[in-house]
Amino acid sequence: MFSTSKSWKKFNVTVTGVFDPDADQIKKVSAMEGKSVTLNTGVKLQKEDLMLWRFARATKGDPVHNNPCQNDATAIAKIYGESREISLDPGDGEMFNNIVKVDKLSGSLTITDVRPEHSGMYILQITNNTGIKCRRFSITVSDAAKSHSHVVWMSIAIVFMVIVAVGCLAVGVQYKKDLFRSVCKCCQAKGAECALQDHALQQQQSLVQPAP
């Protein structure tokens, strides 16, 4: 400060916050159409917390992958830590209508009847007096009809393999039986031939022996 004399004042600024090593991570979740899927926050809801769930359709090159707290994503649920009051939004086209639940202790989000259109990025934003934390979840929902078709074809393939294996085993057993029979016949034929040779030899020996 400059006037008729100089004077100085110093200010000490301390910035407090929470280091969030999980902010850039995306937890991937797979679900089957028609089933229930839960996105766990992994924390306990505190009185000063405000938890906000947002949904964004994730596509290749979507900025939602680069911004942990995507603000233009659609808000679908909110819970206040102090009052435990839950506010739900059905979303675009009411795609989340009557199928979303929020746990009052952890703020975890559950979709009770998940469908392919629910595939995308889910952003959890936790705001309190220490700052803002964000978590991201990527849900991939498999079509039930395609999955059922895949299971059917897999079952057919397994049954076919079992039939082939049983057939090969039966052929092998039959081959062994035929081989055994052939060997037995050969042995019987050889045995008869040997008996004839012994009989002929005995006759020859009786002829050459001198009379007493």
Side-chain angles (χ1 to χ4, degrees):
M1 293 182 293
F2 296 92
S3 57
T4 54
S5 61
K6 294 180 180 181
S7 61
W8 303 87
K9 287 187 176 181
K10 295 181 179 181
F11 299 87
N12 183 28
V13 177
T14 301
V15 179
T16 59
V18 178
F19 175 66
D20 190 5
D22 298 327
D24 294 329
Q25 295 183 5
I26 299 175
K27 296 182 180 180
K28 295 183 179 180
V29 180
S30 298
M32 187 69 66
E33 181 181 5
K35 301 294 183 179
S36 176
V37 60
T38 298
L39 304 179
N40 294 305
T41 62
V43 298
K44 185 177 180 180
L45 185 64
Q46 305 297 324
K47 289 182 60 176
E48 64 274 11
D49 289 342
L50 168 61
M51 287 189 177
L52 176 64
W53 283 97
R54 299 175 183 269
F55 169 72
R57 298 183 185 277
T59 57
K60 189 175 181 180
D62 196 316
V64 72
H65 290 284
N66 302 318
N67 184 359
C69 294
Q70 185 74 9
N71 293 325
D72 57 357
T74 303
I76 58 175
K78 182 189 298 184
I79 181 171
Y80 298 89
E82 185 172 4
S83 63
R84 307 287 169 165
E85 179 184 354
I86 297 174
S87 176
L88 301 177
D89 193 308
D92 296 337
E94 296 190 348
M95 59 185 297
F96 293 100
N97 191 31
N98 295 326
I99 62 170
V100 171
K101 295 181 180 180
V102 178
D103 186 81
K104 291 186 176 182
L105 297 179
S106 64
S108 298
L109 183 76
T110 298
I111 303 174
T112 57
D113 183 17
V114 70
R115 299 186 296 273
E117 57 264 31
H118 295 136
S119 296
M121 193 71 65
Y122 291 77
I123 303 101
L124 168 64
Q125 178 177 311
I126 306 174
T127 304
N128 52 35
N129 53 14
T130 63
I132 298 176
K133 286 184 179 181
C134 289
R135 296 288 184 274
R136 291 180 295 173
F137 303 81
S138 176
I139 292 184
T140 302
V141 181
S142 301
D143 188 280
K146 293 181 179 179
S147 299
H148 178 70
S149 176
H150 178 72
V151 171
V152 169
W153 280 110
M154 284 293 294
S155 301
I156 293 174
I158 292 173
V159 170
F160 177 75
M161 291 175 64
V162 170
I163 292 174
V164 171
V166 171
C168 292
L169 181 61
V171 170
V173 171
Q174 186 63 39
Y175 173 76
K176 289 183 178 181
K177 287 183 178 179
D178 293 341
L179 181 61
F180 179 75
R181 289 172 181 171
S182 299
V183 172
C184 289
K185 289 181 180 179
C186 182
C187 290
Q188 291 174 357
K190 290 291 184 181
E193 182 180 350
C194 292
L196 290 174
Q197 290 178 355
D198 291 341
H199 180 69
L201 181 61
Q202 290 176 0
Q203 286 182 345
Q204 291 177 1
Q205 290 177 350
S206 61
L207 290 175
V208 298
Q209 287 180 356

